[in-house]
């Protein structure tokens, strides 16, 4: 593995072990992600950077604003239909979550914001639509 300089000291606090550190009490309702200190790539719950394979990751807090990249309706293992969406966050990482609202009313390109950090049943982040909640079906 390539290192910046052999003699230069660097902090290990932001390494991959930072993923397992408990969050401060005031930020429990926030979405946290990792950023590679080598190449600056943002990612969600990874142990290594997917671009440079670096293990020095700093944990950061997301603003909670994103855009639906893809959404699908799932009927499996649930009494009612639910949506599963890939949300591209403003910081540059993608997270899988659920958008509140009717499953057929969520489309790619819809702007969303974080509502709660985790669904109590599935453990996924829950988002709500920012713009017009229900657009006309086309």
């Amino acid at each position: 593995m390539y290192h910046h300089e052999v003699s230069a000291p660097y902090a290990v606090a932001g390494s991959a072990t930072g993923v397992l550190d408990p969050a401060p009490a005031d930020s429990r309702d926030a979405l946290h992600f990792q950023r590679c200190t080598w190449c600056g790539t943002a990612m969600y719950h990874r142990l290594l950077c997917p671009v440079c394979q670096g293990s020095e990751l700093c944990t950061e807090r997301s603003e909670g604003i994103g855009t639906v990249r893809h959404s699908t309706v799932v009927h499996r293992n649930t009494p009612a239909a639910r949506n599963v969406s890939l949300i591209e966050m403003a910081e540059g990482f993608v997270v899988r979550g659920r958008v509140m609202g009717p499953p057929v009313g969520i489309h790619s390109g819809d702007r969303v914001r974080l509502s709660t950090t985790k669904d109590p049943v599935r453990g996924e982040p829950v988002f709500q639509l920012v713009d017009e909640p229900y657009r006309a079906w086309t």
Side-chain angles (χ1 to χ4, degrees):
M1 175 185 261
Y2 175 78
H3 293 285
H4 294 288
E5 292 181 38
V6 176
S7 61
Y10 58 90
V12 182
S15 67
T17 59
V19 175
L20 303 176
D21 291 343
D26 61 342
S27 65
R28 285 189 183 140
D29 291 336
L31 186 64
H32 291 88
F33 68 99
Q34 292 81 30
R35 187 174 302 276
C36 179
T37 58
W38 288 77
C39 67
T41 302
M43 67 216 76
Y44 185 70
H45 287 251
R46 302 289 295 260
L47 294 176
L48 295 175
C49 174
V51 175
C52 70
Q53 302 300 314
S55 62
E56 295 177 30
L57 307 176
C58 294
T59 302
E60 296 180 16
R61 183 176 190 257
S62 173
E63 293 297 319
I65 302 294
T67 304
V68 176
R69 178 187 279 183
H70 178 76
S71 183
T72 187
V73 178
V74 178
H75 298 274
R76 178 176 25 118
N77 297 332
T78 181
R82 64 181 175 90
N83 71 22
V84 175
S85 301
L86 291 177
I87 311 295
E88 186 171 355
M89 301 303 290
E91 292 82 7
F93 66 97
V94 177
V95 62
R96 177 183 157 175
R98 184 173 61 87
V99 179
M100 292 190 297
V104 295
I106 294 144
H107 305 282
S108 296
D110 287 346
R111 292 179 350 123
V112 295
R113 74 169 175 237
L114 185 66
S115 176
T116 59
T117 53
K118 293 211 176 188
D119 181 351
V121 176
R122 305 248 182 244
E124 298 175 338
V126 178
F127 297 88
Q128 63 185 8
L129 293 170
V130 172
D131 296 330
E132 182 179 337
Y134 308 115
R135 72 171 113 179
W137 295 357
T138 57

